[in-house]
Amino acid sequence: MKDYRIKSILRGLAIIAFAVCCLIGNSDRFADMPLSRIAVSLLLLVVLIETIIERNIISIFFVLGCGACVYQNELGLKDVNFLLIIGLFILIGVGMNLIFGKKPKINVIKNERNGSYDVEGNTEYWEDDGNFSIDNSLGQKTQYVKIQNLKKGDIDNALGSLTVYLTGSTVDADGAVLDIDNGMGSLTVYFPKEFRVRFNCDNGMGKINMHGECSQDESLPLVIANVDNGMGQIDFYFE
């Protein structure tokens, strides 16, 4: 199982456990059932450790906000709506990210070739000799990808809104593979209409929309798009 799928499963379990805990917490029938709080606390702890390792400030405060909702009574927040609590924690995370989270663009060397690695807020972008990777966690981002002889691409969007333009790129003669993963966010990908694309889609509770059609010319190299959508929405455009 790929790392990004493990992360998605952990986040999904944490969200489900949190939702169940909120429902149980508002029911008198389960007033004496502390196991639910223990379970959700352990899941939130796992996700918190993951976000700390990734140094994702906004995600850290999002998890802390979920934890504050679980322990509303102990924190004196019994009368505060849990959505407001999470929203305020996210705002704190945004403020902390503006202060401490900004990182400069740097150049790196990978496989003895010069690559570009761009870190901006909650989005990481890297490209190198026909390969590229985009990872967006929260926030809104538009990324233009112009690569000659595209071979491999990774597009990963968690809770944010990400728009990717592949227009201007060309495909390697041997074809290309795109791994596209969307969690609970909104993802939009623009393909050149000259691309011949085969989609392998795994859709959970979200929605995948196709706008336009790809090329049907079998003499063109094939782009294989492996799409994994959780609870968000993905829109593919060919233009």
Side-chain angles (χ1 to χ4, degrees):
M1 184 177 292
K2 295 183 178 180
D3 290 341
Y4 73 86
R5 287 301 302 148
I6 295 175
K7 293 179 181 179
S8 297
I9 291 173
L10 288 174
R11 293 167 181 168
L13 289 174
I15 292 172
I16 292 171
F18 173 68
V20 172
C21 183
C22 288
L23 290 174
I24 292 177
N26 289 291
S27 175
D28 294 334
R29 294 185 178 181
F30 300 95
D32 299 325
M33 187 177 177
L35 290 179
S36 61
R37 299 182 71 190
I38 296 175
V40 74
S41 298
L42 290 174
L43 286 171
L44 288 175
L45 179 61
V46 171
V47 178
L48 179 62
I49 293 174
E50 174 196 334
T51 55
I52 291 175
I53 293 174
E54 294 180 346
R55 299 180 181 179
N56 192 320
I57 297 177
I58 297 180
S59 294
I60 290 173
F61 278 89
F62 173 77
V63 177
L64 291 176
C66 292
C69 292
V70 175
Y71 295 95
Q72 279 183 270
N73 294 338
E74 289 80 359
L75 295 174
L77 302 173
K78 182 179 180 181
D79 298 326
V80 182
N81 186 281
F82 71 92
L83 291 177
L84 178 60
I85 295 174
I86 294 176
L88 291 176
F89 268 85
I90 290 177
L91 285 178
I92 295 173
V94 171
M96 296 292 289
N97 187 67
L98 290 174
I99 297 173
F100 302 106
K102 188 175 181 181
K103 300 178 182 178
K105 180 176 180 179
I106 61 177
N107 289 323
V108 299
I109 296 178
K110 182 178 180 181
N111 297 331
E112 298 182 351
R113 295 189 296 270
N114 289 324
S116 175
Y117 190 79
D118 188 7
V119 182
E120 181 180 352
N122 306 294
T123 306
E124 296 182 1
Y125 176 74
W126 177 86
E127 67 175 51
D128 170 41
D129 192 24
N131 303 284
F132 76 92
S133 175
I134 304 172
D135 189 351
N136 183 51
S137 54
L138 287 170
Q140 184 174 352
K141 175 68 174 179
T142 298
Q143 183 68 55
Y144 294 88
V145 179
K146 294 184 178 181
I147 296 179
Q148 302 302 310
N149 300 322
L150 175 63
K151 301 174 183 176
K152 180 75 169 62
D154 290 292
I155 301 174
D156 191 347
N157 183 52
L159 297 171
S161 176
L162 176 62
T163 301
V164 179
Y165 288 89
L166 294 173
T167 49
S169 298
T170 62
V171 182
D172 187 78
D174 294 328
V177 176
L178 296 178
D179 290 325
I180 302 173
D181 180 46
N182 185 51
M184 298 177 63
S186 174
L187 174 62
T188 303
V189 181
Y190 289 87
F191 290 95
K193 61 182 179 181
E194 296 82 11
F195 273 26
R196 185 167 69 99
V197 185
R198 185 180 72 198
F199 290 94
N200 300 319
C201 297
D202 182 6
N203 187 40
M205 299 177 63
K207 189 175 182 181
I208 299 176
N209 301 313
M210 297 285 182
H211 307 271
E213 295 182 356
C214 65
S215 174
Q216 302 299 320
D217 187 354
E218 295 187 358
S219 65
L220 296 174
L222 179 64
V223 177
I224 299 176
N226 300 314
V227 183
D228 191 345
N229 186 42
M231 300 176 64
Q233 176 171 315
I234 302 179
D235 288 278
F236 294 113
Y237 289 86
F238 289 91
E239 58 179 32

